[in-house]
Amino acid sequence: MDLKYEKKDAIEFIKSKKDMDEYIERYIDFLNYAKTEYRAAKFAENMLKENGFVDINSKKKLKTGDKVYFVNNEKSIYAAIIGKDELKDGLNIVGAHIDSPRLDLKPMPLYEKHHAGLLKTQYYGGIKKYQWTTIPLAMYGVIYNEDGKKIEIEVGEGENDPCFTITDLLPHLAREQMKLGANEFIDPEKLVVLVGSLKSDDKETEKVKNSVKRNILKLLNKKYGIKEIDFARSEISLVPAFRARYVGFDYSLVGGYGQDDRSCAYASLEALCKQKGLNQKTAVIMLVDKEEIGSVGNTSMSSNIFDLFITKLIKLKGEEDTSILEVYYNSKMLSADVSTLVDPSYDEVSDIQNGNILGCGIALEKYTGSGGKYSASDANAKYVSEVMQIFEKNNIAFQLGTLGKIEKGGGGTIAYILAEKGVNVIDCGPGVLCMHSPFEITSSSDLYMTTKAYDAFLRA
Ligand code: MN
Ligand code: MN
């Protein structure tokens, strides 16, 4: 009898290589489309509709097998398949986030300096600022004009689109800059985006002074019908302008922006859409916004809008006597978020024995937090055991990593928010290398295991 635990190669758990390859193709398409939470929510809504889900607001009542979704302010979405059990017997929930670190435009972003047209940004989420300079950037978002009409912005990745970029000093003149620590040498106020260099050519009058800024405003007005003030009623983000793609001679890895946490978002979407037959428990997924800035705001996990969705389920199901707290108390959840992988070049920050290794399956993270488990969402042993049994029964490759060495840093997910509602929850997602960088790396076999794990959990 072999008593010791050893990590296993996730590839050994995969029955159909073809099925995995097709999944990765679909996942890469999703990453390339869903570069903002708006687009991820839109993609999810379309995919849910294609799979028979309907807007919960169009339902008069709900019965076993019904499939519904709820879109919250275009930026987060919840979906459910009603199971045979009553809601008060608990839900099986998989929750991921669809926002990723990026650069947002400031409310009044446009200016001109030394013949360059520039846009001021404020970074969103935890980034290493230097990674975002000197790369091609694309612009996505929404802007409202003075009549309140919504205009969608999408520039930087079409075949004939220009892209944008942020300048950085040449090494020849960077002697002083290079002495600074990595967190200081890019001043956040210098994360300005280069967007043009031609002056307008209006016939000059006393009122109109030709400038690069004016030319850009004219181009924007021509294309979108907007004025400078309209930037104040916009949400526009700069994201890497390159496509997700395979990495490695063996094509075994996926490189791309936003895999934290769209890898889990996509995995849970497919897992829910592919549920077959009638489940015992009501299966729920949620794709939420604002995780990267601390889960604050009405589209984040902290908002009560998820409660509103569950309240609607209770009411439409005709379980008026059920309290939402009872539903939560009996529910179980996977907080579907990525974990870190032991980086072969920086393994000194990891406790290898308790780290996640590339290609060894989905990471089950008992607790998050930092130092003395501060702010940790720490799953109880009974619940860890339940989840492990689900994975073992369903031939899911999983590993049991923590984020890194105890005082090297830390982090958290949406898990604690559901834990506070009384849900049993554990973090569970693929490991990522270069997390929060413009080009995050995952393993295809880990990604495939992730959707298989969520599928098994939702129907457990
Ligand atoms: Mn995340
Ligand atoms: Mn993150």
Side-chain angles (χ1 to χ4, degrees):
M1 188 154 96
D2 196 0
L3 294 177
K4 70 177 189 303
Y5 165 77
E6 258 173 37
K7 281 191 201 285
K8 294 194 181 116
D9 192 328
I11 277 288
E12 289 166 21
F13 290 69
I14 289 164
K15 282 189 220 114
S16 162
K17 171 90 167 48
K18 184 170 167 276
D19 199 44
M20 173 175 86
D21 291 346
E22 286 169 3
Y23 174 77
I24 298 301
E25 287 288 324
R26 293 192 297 275
Y27 169 59
I28 286 178
D29 287 345
F30 170 72
L31 283 183
N32 287 334
Y33 178 84
K35 289 209 172 178
T36 61
E37 70 283 0
Y38 274 106
R39 289 170 72 86
K42 186 82 212 132
F43 186 103
E45 186 181 357
N46 289 336
M47 186 164 158
L48 288 164
K49 278 188 192 160
E50 280 164 23
N51 285 279
F53 288 75
V54 299
D55 190 330
I56 194 165
N57 295 315
S58 71
K59 296 291 273 189
K60 293 276 180 293
K61 61 179 179 196
L62 286 174
K63 57 175 194 322
T64 305
D66 280 353
K67 302 171 171 186
V68 289
Y69 68 85
F70 181 100
V71 183
N72 174 7
N73 280 291
E74 299 176 78
K75 295 164 85 159
S76 64
I77 185 163
Y78 323 116
I81 303 175
I82 307 301
K84 291 187 226 168
D85 283 0
E86 290 193 19
L87 296 171
K88 70 165 184 281
D89 297 321
L91 317 167
N92 290 354
I93 309 170
V94 176
H97 67 90
I98 49 177
D99 61 318
S100 296
R102 61 184 188 228
L103 306 170
D104 285 344
L105 291 191
K106 288 192 180 187
M108 275 296 124
L110 183 62
Y111 72 107
E112 168 177 358
K113 197 173 179 189
H114 307 314
H115 217 284
L118 300 155
L119 291 172
K120 292 179 178 230
T121 70
Q122 179 148 357
Y123 63 96
Y124 172 99
I127 61 166
K128 291 166 106 173
K129 295 185 277 287
Y130 64 85
Q131 293 179 333
W132 294 73
T133 66
T134 67
I135 60 167
L137 295 169
M139 196 181 286
Y140 288 98
V142 295
I143 186 163
Y144 286 80
N145 69 13
E146 57 196 343
D147 302 321
K149 184 174 161 254
K150 180 170 106 176
I151 298 137
E152 287 186 43
I153 309 280
E154 186 189 326
V155 196
E157 300 199 84
E159 213 171 306
N160 300 311
D161 280 6
C163 67
F164 310 97
T165 197
I166 292 170
T167 60
D168 186 16
L169 265 183
L170 62 170
H172 318 61
L173 290 177
R175 202 172 290 166
E176 293 304 315
Q177 183 198 34
M178 299 287 263
K179 286 182 195 156
L180 299 171
N183 199 30
E184 283 97 50
F185 73 76
I186 303 293
D187 177 345
E189 299 293 343
K190 289 189 197 292
L191 288 175
V192 294
V193 185
L194 186 58
V195 293
S197 67
L198 287 182
K199 283 193 174 180
S200 52
D201 55 2
D202 299 273
K203 238 174 111 190
E204 294 204 32
T205 68
E206 265 172 69
K207 275 196 174 164
V208 176
K209 190 170 174 292
N210 277 317
S211 68
V212 176
K213 178 172 172 175
R214 179 166 167 78
N215 194 44
I216 289 162
L217 285 172
K218 278 177 66 185
L219 290 169
L220 291 174
N221 186 262
K222 193 169 162 214
K223 186 160 182 198
Y224 303 110
I226 52 171
K227 297 177 184 162
E228 187 174 15
I229 184 70
D230 298 332
F231 276 115
R233 41 190 161 222
S234 76
E235 282 177 295
I236 298 174
S237 303
L238 276 302
V239 297
F242 32 78
R243 298 174 71 75
R245 54 194 296 190
Y246 294 100
V247 173
F249 287 122
D250 55 8
Y251 293 74
S252 64
L253 307 161
V254 175
Y257 165 69
Q259 298 199 72
D260 173 8
D261 184 31
R262 297 187 190 119
S263 56
C264 298
Y266 190 72
S268 58
L269 250 181
E270 270 216 6
L272 188 74
C273 287
K274 291 195 164 174
Q275 292 296 308
K276 287 193 191 80
L278 297 179
N279 288 354
Q280 203 65 38
K281 300 279 180 192
T282 292
V284 174
I285 68 163
M286 51 182 149
L287 309 178
V288 298
D289 181 31
K290 298 278 187 275
E291 192 276 344
E292 294 294 357
I293 57 166
S295 292
V296 287
N298 68 348
T299 52
S300 78
M301 192 61 246
S302 295
S303 98
N304 292 329
I305 306 302
F306 184 64
D307 292 353
L308 174 64
F309 177 64
I310 302 301
T311 307
K312 280 176 189 278
L313 294 182
I314 293 170
K315 213 170 142 201
L316 293 171
K317 186 95 193 306
E319 293 181 27
E320 276 87 358
D321 295 338
T322 296
S323 108
I324 190 167
L325 285 176
E326 201 177 357
V327 176
Y328 285 140
Y329 186 64
N330 292 315
S331 292
K332 55 180 191 281
M333 172 177 169
L334 295 180
S335 170
D337 208 340
V338 296
S339 189
T340 187
L341 289 170
V342 174
D343 187 318
S345 301
Y346 299 92
D347 64 0
E348 64 275 13
V349 300
S350 298
D351 166 12
I352 312 291
Q353 184 171 325
N354 287 288
N356 298 306
I357 302 294
L358 188 64
C360 290
I362 189 168
L364 194 59
E365 208 170 331
K366 184 179 183 297
Y367 56 85
T368 52
S370 64
K373 291 199 175 178
Y374 292 108
S375 304
S377 183
D378 193 351
N380 63 61
K382 180 167 180 279
Y383 184 56
V384 180
S385 158
E386 254 184 72
V387 175
M388 283 173 68
Q389 281 188 18
I390 293 170
F391 290 174
E392 282 157 356
K393 268 187 214 143
N394 287 278
N395 207 32
I396 305 296
F398 66 96
Q399 46 186 330
L400 303 136
T402 56
L403 193 57
K405 280 188 178 165
I406 296 164
E407 291 188 351
K408 291 285 176 196
T413 66
I414 60 171
Y416 76 97
I417 303 160
L418 277 297
E420 281 172 358
K421 291 181 193 285
V423 176
N424 260 319
V425 53
I426 186 165
D427 279 289
C428 182
V432 176
L433 289 171
C434 318
M435 199 194 292
H436 286 199
S437 81
F439 197 65
E440 299 177 319
I441 308 293
T442 50
S443 137
S444 297
S445 54
D446 292 346
L447 291 168
Y448 184 67
M449 274 298 135
T450 303
T451 194
K452 291 283 168 200
Y454 296 168
D455 166 63
F457 183 84
L458 288 174
R459 60 188 158 70

